[in-house]
Amino acid sequence: MKRIFGFLMILTSFVSFAQEEEKEQLEALKESKNLTWEGNKNLSENDYVEAEVDYRKAIAKSDKNVAAPFNLGNAYYNNATYSEAFGRFKEAGELASEKADKHKAYHNMGNVFMKRKEYQKAVEAYKEALRNNPKDEETRYNLALAKEMLKKDQDKNDQNKDDQDKQDNKDQKDKNQDKKEGDNEEDNKDQNQEGDKGDQKEDNKQDNKEGDGDKKEEQKKQPQEGDEKDEKQQPRRPNQLSKQQIQNLLEAMQQEEKKVQQKIDAKKIKGVKVKNEKDW
């Protein structure tokens, strides 16, 4: 009996605690909604700063109030602060327990992705929104638009990639052509150098040839050493006088001529005397 009584006391305390906690949560949610309403009012009056403050207070008061982060996300979105807007829409989607709230949160996340031109993410966000509300025609239209923009973006990227590949191929061809021309110029340079060397060798060969010819001609004109010796050593032909015989013959002729001249001179001396008369 005592055990049953103790159990009932514990159960009663637990129920009372739960009721008290629920009451506090309801009170907090009520205050959060009131702050959200104040934020909506300030936002309608274009008081963006006060509206942001009210929404933040509402979010801090209760995590059951999905409207507070969602409305703050809208305020950021309208102010073109898309990163903050996405964060608040995502928060609303995670807090939402109703499909209608999830649909609105994912629909707006898709809108943020469209603004960022992140079309693939926008497609996924709109699809999630339609899972929670398949009848929403606006979301369906946005999904079709996101798919079309995604296709155009992919086609553009493919075209850019093709253009880049073509440009890379062209640059590579130009590079190869420049290298080929450079190699040809180097080959021509080497050939010209070899040709110059060949011409120089030919010129030197011709000069040497001409020099050898001149030398041979000069040597031909000059008496060769040993010619006299060779001439003495050569056998004389029959009836051919030697140089010494010719010399002796010339000397004998000169002696004979000298004797004849002496006789002539002797006759001149013994000739008739001529009378020398003075011509006074």
Side-chain angles (χ1 to χ4, degrees):
M1 189 71 178
K2 290 182 179 180
R3 290 181 178 179
I4 295 173
F5 179 77
F7 177 76
L8 289 175
M9 289 295 293
I10 294 173
L11 181 61
T12 302
S13 299
F14 179 78
V15 171
S16 298
F17 177 79
Q19 289 176 347
E20 187 66 26
E21 184 178 3
E22 184 179 359
K23 183 179 179 180
E24 290 178 357
Q25 290 179 352
L26 290 173
E27 188 66 28
L29 179 59
K30 183 179 179 180
E31 292 180 10
S32 177
K33 288 182 177 180
N34 289 336
L35 288 169
T36 302
W37 184 85
E38 290 292 335
N40 293 342
K41 181 175 178 294
N42 289 324
L43 190 62
S44 65
E45 294 174 356
N46 295 323
D47 191 349
Y48 176 80
V49 176
E50 286 299 323
E52 183 180 10
V53 171
D54 291 334
Y55 289 137
R56 286 181 177 275
K57 287 181 179 180
I59 294 169
K61 276 289 180 180
S62 175
D63 58 0
K64 303 296 183 181
N65 184 11
V66 179
F70 182 82
N71 288 1
L72 181 57
N74 282 337
Y76 284 137
Y77 183 88
N78 293 329
N79 200 39
T81 313
Y82 299 120
S83 295
E84 287 80 357
F86 175 79
R88 292 304 177 178
F89 291 141
K90 182 180 180 182
E91 182 181 0
E94 291 172 349
L95 293 174
S97 58
E98 301 291 334
K99 285 190 174 183
D101 294 335
K102 286 186 176 292
H103 163 258
K104 290 188 295 184
Y106 281 103
H107 177 96
N108 283 12
M109 278 191 276
N111 291 346
V112 171
F113 288 131
M114 289 293 286
K115 288 291 185 180
R116 292 178 175 179
K117 297 182 179 180
E118 297 177 1
Y119 302 119
Q120 183 62 54
K121 293 181 179 180
V123 168
E124 297 303 323
Y126 289 135
K127 285 182 178 180
E128 187 62 28
L130 286 173
R131 290 187 185 100
N132 289 278
N133 185 7
K135 295 180 180 180
D136 190 276
E137 294 299 328
E138 183 179 354
T139 303
R140 194 175 301 280
Y141 173 82
N142 287 3
L143 175 60
L145 179 61
K147 288 181 177 180
E148 182 179 355
M149 296 302 295
L150 177 62
K151 186 177 184 304
K152 288 182 179 180
D153 194 48
Q154 290 174 342
D155 292 342
K156 183 178 179 180
N157 290 336
D158 292 341
Q159 183 62 41
N160 291 338
K161 186 176 182 300
D162 291 341
D163 293 341
Q164 185 63 40
D165 292 340
K166 290 179 181 178
Q167 185 63 37
D168 292 342
N169 292 334
K170 183 177 182 300
D171 293 342
Q172 186 63 37
K173 288 181 180 179
D174 293 341
K175 185 178 180 181
N176 293 337
Q177 183 65 26
D178 293 340
K179 184 177 183 300
K180 183 177 180 181
E181 292 177 357
D183 293 341
N184 291 336
E185 290 179 359
E186 189 66 25
D187 293 340
N188 292 334
K189 182 178 179 181
D190 294 339
Q191 291 177 358
N192 291 334
Q193 291 178 350
E194 292 178 359
D196 293 340
K197 291 180 180 179
D199 294 340
Q200 186 175 1
K201 289 181 179 179
E202 188 65 26
D203 293 340
N204 293 336
K205 183 178 180 181
Q206 185 66 26
D207 293 341
N208 293 335
K209 183 177 180 180
E210 292 177 357
D212 293 340
D214 295 339
K215 185 176 180 180
K216 289 179 180 179
E217 185 66 24
E218 184 177 355
Q219 290 175 352
K220 183 177 180 181
K221 292 179 180 180
Q222 294 178 355
Q224 300 294 325
E225 294 181 0
D227 286 350
E228 183 177 355
K229 183 178 179 180
D230 293 340
E231 184 178 354
K232 290 181 180 181
Q233 290 177 354
Q234 290 178 359
R236 293 190 300 272
R237 292 178 296 178
N239 301 325
Q240 182 180 6
L241 297 176
S242 66
K243 287 185 178 181
Q244 187 61 40
Q245 290 176 338
I246 294 172
Q247 184 66 28
N248 294 336
L249 181 61
L250 289 174
E251 290 179 356
M253 291 176 63
Q254 289 177 356
Q255 289 294 333
E256 188 66 25
E257 182 179 358
K258 186 176 181 180
K259 290 179 181 180
V260 172
Q261 185 66 34
Q262 287 176 354
K263 290 180 179 180
I264 293 173
D265 292 339
K267 289 181 178 181
K268 288 180 180 180
I269 294 172
K270 293 179 180 180
V272 180
K273 296 182 180 178
V274 178
K275 183 178 179 179
N276 186 10
E277 294 180 358
K278 295 181 180 178
D279 186 6
W280 302 101

